[in-house]
Every structure is written in C-alpha cells, then in structure tokens.
C-alpha cells in the first residue's frame, strides 16, 4: 500500500525548512506543500527593507532551485486549504481537491493585524505581510509621497527608515509612550526615538488613529488623537495575528492568546498533526504560559524540530531565542526573552551608537540587547545558555576584555555547578 505521505499546509519559510529537513533526514515518501501565494517560499525580513528600496531585486528564495529539484516537493501554489479532517486524515482545498496524509504539518503563518477604522480595500492603505504587499508599497513610495505609519514596532520602524531613504516624508504614530517598551530597556527606547527623529521622521508617541477617509486628488485624511493629518499613503503595522482558523475549526487545541498549541516537539493536540512557525504558541521549559515567537530563527528551528519529530528522530537541541532588526544603518540584536522584572546593566554609551545591555534576574542573564554590537552579544551568549548566576560587576567596564570576561564567568559557573 502506498503511503499517504506528508502534507504541509503553508508555503513560507518554516514550511520550506521543514520539507528540506525531512529529505535531509532520510524521508523518501511524498511531500505535498500547499500555499496561498503564487510564489515559492521566500524570506520575509527583506520585505520591509530591500524589497522597498534596493535598486536590484533581492533574492528571497528560502531554498535554491537545485534544492527544490532534489527535494521533490509537490508544491501547490495559489491554493487554499479550507478544511482539516483529523479522523479521515485529509486536507480539503478550496477547489475541492482532497489531500490524504499520514502526517500533516501546519505552517500557516500569520496575517497582518487589521484596524476596522482603516479598511484594507481603501486606495492608499497598505498592510505589509506578503511580497505582493511590499511591491505595491514600493511603487507607492515613488515621487516623494507623504506617508503615515501606524505602529512603532519593529516592522513599522523598518518601513519608516526605508520610506525615508526612498525620499518620502514620514510620520509614525505609536499608541505607547515609548518605542518598543515591551522589548528593550528604557534607555534603548529613548535611543530609538532619537535616531528615528534624526533620520527625518515625525514621531507621535501616545497617539492613536480614529479612522481614515478619502480626500480629493487621491489623498487620505487621518483622524488621530493629536489632530488631523493629510497624507498620500497609510501603512498599518500593528502586529501579526496567527493564522490558526484551520486548526481551530478542526478541533485542535488553541492557546489562550491565539496560536496553535504545540509541545517542545511541535506536536499539536492530535498525534498526526504538527505545527511550526508564526501560527504556533509553544510550551517552553521554564515558562509559565505558552509563548509565540515571530522570528526568522524560530521559523527555521521549529521547521527542523517538526521534521525530526515526524520521523521519530532525536530533536535538535533548543537554542536561546535570537532576533535581529535593521533600523536604517543601525543593527539591533536581541538574545533571550524580555520580562518586566528584569534589571539591566549596560556596557557602552547609546550616544556613541554602540551598546550592549544584559537583563538579568538574580544575576542570571536572561535578555541581551545589542545596538551595533553583535560581536559583543555573541561573546556573552554562552552565559545565557548556561542559565546560571554570574558576577556582573565588571561587565560595564569598557576596559574589560569582554570575551575573556565571558570565558572567566563560564569557568566560574562550571566550578560552582
């Protein structure tokens, strides 16, 4: 009897990485991948940067042409999965086609969170999640338009810098009174705001949008808590909503805050269904509640983990969460996860645009934030991986050799273990 094979619902980065890992780890059965978009799986981080401003079209493919040929994946682009039957073990597509599976991997990603007061169909309104979305915005940025960006998160700020570099006039509205205040220490929030303004953006903190309406000559009127604006384009970047409807309708367990609930092996509440990437909320050791991690690293790691688990192989060793963002000419990297009760120690001066913070609880490093200091963050990474208290007194001293200090801290931890 022919095996039903593996059906992957979703055709983003996590899906492509999982399919590749399945083949690398010896799976020879049929792999069918279903994707709504008409593109092969591509990387999303460049959508807010290179796709908007690069002279040459950036290469976005997750896998090379040779890898697609070697992996022998049946890729169904422009297809939408509308039903998942856990009993019969099949996925039904919008065109009526039914795909039977031995194992199913849900890699359905997420959708841009929308505002009812800023409708998606209104000319001049942009929500950025797909390559086609980014290409439309790129075209709209031609001719020095006035642009309002709703949302001062990572994506909104990246788009703001790209729009500025394209010659647009940019206003950023953020409901919070500080930028990224849930993710970085207060000093870093202040630094972000100063660099955003220095780049030429108007930054409105503590501001909310009441709605948008069309004006003559194709312009848009924006009602805000700080007054009315007239702009040419509006970009909404207020977060991501996990695409968990297919799983929810099938009866799979969904986390309280949204996202398909998976364990450390990326298995759902059904033994034959796994999930990976932005659509998931995962139970992680040492955390009270399941968490969602929307990052390039997590998409890759969960894809590999799900592949190994589906094949009954040892799981990859979990790594400390890592995230990066380019804000104009500045690179910001984060290691670990933020928490409201962390204390931060700092090395370097934000005024010099190179600084590293370590957030700790009881001297245990749990969250690192590096501005233009990726090498420094890599040097102290082993301390985050050990998860043990370290002596932080010498960390802020610029005269201290950071790599030597980190090695000494590792040795001290090993001695007291």
């Amino acid at each position: 009897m022919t095996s039903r094979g593996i059906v992957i619902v979703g055709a983003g980065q996590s899906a492509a990485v999982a399919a590749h890992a399945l083949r690398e780890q010896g799976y020879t059965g049929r792999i069918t991948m279903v994707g709504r978009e008409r593109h092969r799986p591509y990387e999303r981080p460049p959508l807010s940067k290179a796709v908007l401003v690069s002279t040459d079209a950036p290469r976005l493919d997750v896998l090379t042409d040779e890898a697609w040929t070697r992996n022998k994946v049946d890729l169904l682009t422009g297809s939408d999965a509308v039903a998942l039957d856990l009993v019969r073990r099949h996925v039904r597509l919008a065109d009526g086609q039914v795909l039977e599976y031995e194992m199913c991997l849900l890699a359905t990603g997420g959708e841009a969170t929308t505002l009812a007061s800023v409708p998606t169909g209104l000319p001049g309104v942009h929500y950025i999640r797909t390559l086609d979305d980014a290409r439309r915005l790129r075209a709209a940025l031609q001719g020095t338009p006035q642009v309002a960006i709703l949302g001062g998160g990572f994506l909104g700020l990246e788009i703001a810098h790209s729009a500025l570099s394209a010659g647009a006039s940019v206003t950023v509205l953020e409901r919070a009174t500080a930028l990224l205040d849930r993710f970085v220490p207060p000093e870093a929030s202040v630094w972000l705001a100063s660099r955003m303004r220095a780049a030429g953006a108007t930054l409105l903190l503590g501001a909310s949008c009441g709605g948008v309406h069309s004006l003559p000559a194709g312009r848009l009127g924006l009602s805000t808590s700080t007054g009315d604006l007239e702009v040419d384009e509006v970009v909404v970047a207020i977060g991501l909503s996990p695409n968990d409807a297919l799983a929810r309708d099938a009866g799979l367990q969904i986390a309280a805050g949204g996202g398909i609930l998976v364990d450390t092996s990326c298995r759902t509440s059904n033994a034959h269904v796994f999930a990976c990437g932005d659509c998931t909320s995962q139970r992680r050791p040492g955390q009270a509640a399941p968490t969602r991690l929307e990052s390039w690293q997590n998409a890759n790691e969960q894809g590999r983990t799900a592949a190994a688990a589906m094949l009954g192989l040892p799981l990859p060793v979990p790594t400390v969460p890592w995230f990066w963002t380019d804000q104009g000419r500045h690179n910001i990297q984060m290691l670990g996860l933020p928490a409201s009760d962390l204390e931060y120690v700092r090395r370097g001066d934000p005024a010099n645009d190179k600084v590293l913070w370590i957030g700790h609880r009881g001297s245990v490093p749990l969250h690192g934030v590096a501005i233009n200091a990726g090498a420094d963050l890599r040097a102290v990474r082993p301390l985050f991986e050990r998860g043990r208290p370290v002596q932080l007194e010498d960390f802020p001293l610029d005269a201290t050799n950071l790599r030597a200090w980190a090695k000494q801290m590792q040795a001290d931890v090993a001695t007291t273990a």
Side-chain angles (χ1 to χ4, degrees):
M1 181 177 178
T2 303
S3 169
R4 294 173 170 224
I6 292 174
V7 173
I8 302 176
V9 182
Q13 179 158 343
S14 199
V17 169
H20 187 63
L22 285 166
R23 292 305 191 207
E24 282 192 320
Q25 295 177 84
Y27 181 70
T28 58
R30 182 176 182 179
I31 299 176
T32 304
M33 184 182 296
V34 181
R36 286 180 177 176
E37 297 184 58
R38 299 192 178 276
H39 308 287
R40 286 199 318 202
Y42 58 85
E43 305 231 7
R44 295 191 189 273
L47 298 187
S48 56
K49 298 180 284 288
V51 173
L52 297 183
V53 297
S54 290
T55 303
D56 299 321
R59 182 173 178 81
L60 305 176
D61 286 346
V62 178
L63 302 176
T64 64
D65 293 342
E66 190 275 331
W68 280 109
T69 301
R70 186 176 66 251
N71 289 336
K72 294 182 172 63
V73 175
D74 295 329
L75 177 60
L76 307 180
T77 60
S79 299
D80 195 10
V82 296
L84 170 64
D85 191 319
L86 302 178
V87 177
R88 295 182 177 87
R89 276 196 259 164
H90 68 232
V91 175
R92 181 164 54 86
L93 306 185
D95 63 4
Q97 185 177 0
V98 173
L99 305 175
E100 296 184 333
Y101 64 82
E102 181 64 28
M103 293 286 179
C104 178
L105 176 62
L106 300 178
T108 47
E111 301 287 345
T113 301
T114 59
L115 288 172
S117 59
V118 188
T120 57
L122 192 65
V125 169
H126 303 267
Y127 286 85
I128 307 301
R129 178 59 183 169
T130 69
L131 177 57
D132 292 338
D133 293 337
R135 286 174 173 169
R136 281 190 290 270
L137 179 58
R138 177 190 176 97
L141 291 177
Q142 308 306 308
T144 64
Q146 291 180 295
V147 180
I149 298 175
L150 308 184
F154 296 110
L155 178 64
L157 296 179
E158 288 178 354
I159 293 172
H161 279 290
S162 295
L164 287 166
S165 70
S169 173
V170 174
T171 299
V172 178
L173 290 85
E174 167 57 43
R175 292 180 64 110
T177 56
L179 293 177
L180 302 176
D181 58 346
R182 294 187 295 118
F183 302 99
V184 299
E187 288 180 311
S189 290
V190 172
W191 178 88
L192 277 165
S194 69
R195 295 304 178 267
M196 191 80 258
R197 292 187 174 107
T202 298
L203 188 59
L204 304 178
L205 298 177
S208 59
C209 174
V212 62
H213 57 277
S214 298
L215 295 172
R219 304 201 80 203
L220 295 170
L222 203 62
S223 301
T224 82
S225 58
T226 61
D228 294 339
L229 298 175
E230 289 190 14
V231 298
D232 300 298
E233 311 292 333
V234 173
V235 182
V236 184
I238 58 171
L240 188 72
S241 299
N243 223 338
D244 57 17
L246 185 71
R248 187 187 302 270
D249 293 344
L252 293 175
Q253 191 171 358
I254 306 297
I260 305 167
L261 190 63
V262 297
D263 62 15
T264 54
S265 67
C266 291
R267 190 187 300 270
T268 71
S269 54
N270 182 278
H272 296 276
V273 180
F274 295 74
C276 60
D278 290 345
C279 65
T280 66
S281 188
Q282 189 172 42
R283 294 187 178 99
R284 300 172 186 273
Q287 293 184 319
T291 55
R292 288 180 52 230
L293 293 181
E294 301 163 6
S295 73
W296 179 89
Q297 179 210 39
N298 188 61
N300 289 335
E301 292 193 351
Q302 283 194 335
R304 296 186 189 103
T305 296
M310 284 191 287
L311 300 180
L313 299 175
L315 303 182
V317 177
T319 62
V320 178
W322 173 76
F323 175 82
W324 62 270
T325 176
D326 286 329
Q327 298 292 330
R329 62 185 180 87
H330 302 293
N331 174 259
I332 300 175
Q333 298 186 31
M334 286 175 283
L335 189 64
L337 297 174
S340 59
D341 63 338
L342 296 185
E343 296 182 46
Y344 285 86
V345 291
R346 188 190 78 201
R347 177 184 175 89
D349 188 345
N352 297 328
D353 293 337
K354 183 176 181 181
V355 60
L356 172 63
W357 288 270
I358 290 181
H360 64 96
R361 185 185 299 119
S363 296
V364 178
L366 296 171
H367 187 223
V369 179
I371 296 174
N372 300 319
D376 290 347
L377 190 61
R378 288 191 295 273
V380 299
R381 184 184 185 111
L383 304 181
F384 289 78
E385 295 170 339
R386 293 290 185 93
R388 300 290 299 277
V390 298
Q391 299 296 321
L392 293 168
E393 289 83 358
D394 291 338
F395 169 75
L397 302 179
D398 290 339
T400 301
N401 183 303
L402 193 59
R403 191 170 297 277
W405 173 83
K407 288 183 177 180
Q408 182 60 52
M409 292 302 101
Q410 292 178 68
D412 291 347
V413 167
T415 301
T416 58

